[in-house]
Amino acid sequence: MTTINKKHLSDLILMEAYADLHKVKDKISLFEKKYNLNFENFEKLIHSEKENFEKYDDYIEWKAYIAQLKDLQQKIKDIKRGKLQIS
């Protein structure tokens, strides 16, 4: 029988979450550089301009990355606090 230490397992999950966080931040950074705007200002621009399908596609993708960023940040906080349920 193999015993797995909960602390070791949470450390591995935390490292994976940080790796995912880094990827998401890179994607967000690409959009910020492409438009030279942060997401909030880009969102205002999208709603004030005439419809542009390329920008709208980027908006939808960027918005998803922002949501994923928030989810990962919460996941990291939960793991650090020991709020981890293993099934």
Side-chain angles (χ1 to χ4, degrees), residues 68-82:
Q68 189 176 7
L69 176 70
K70 290 177 184 177
D71 289 345
L72 284 167
Q73 289 170 331
Q74 185 60 51
K75 180 179 180 179
I76 289 169
K77 283 181 187 177
D78 289 345
I79 293 168
K80 285 182 172 183
R81 291 182 183 145

Side-chain angles (χ1 to χ4, degrees), residues 4-12 82-86:
I4 299 173
N5 182 311
K6 183 178 178 181
K7 172 72 172 126
H8 179 71
L9 189 56
S10 67
D11 287 347
L12 291 173
K83 293 183 177 180
L84 182 66
Q85 183 176 359
I86 301 170

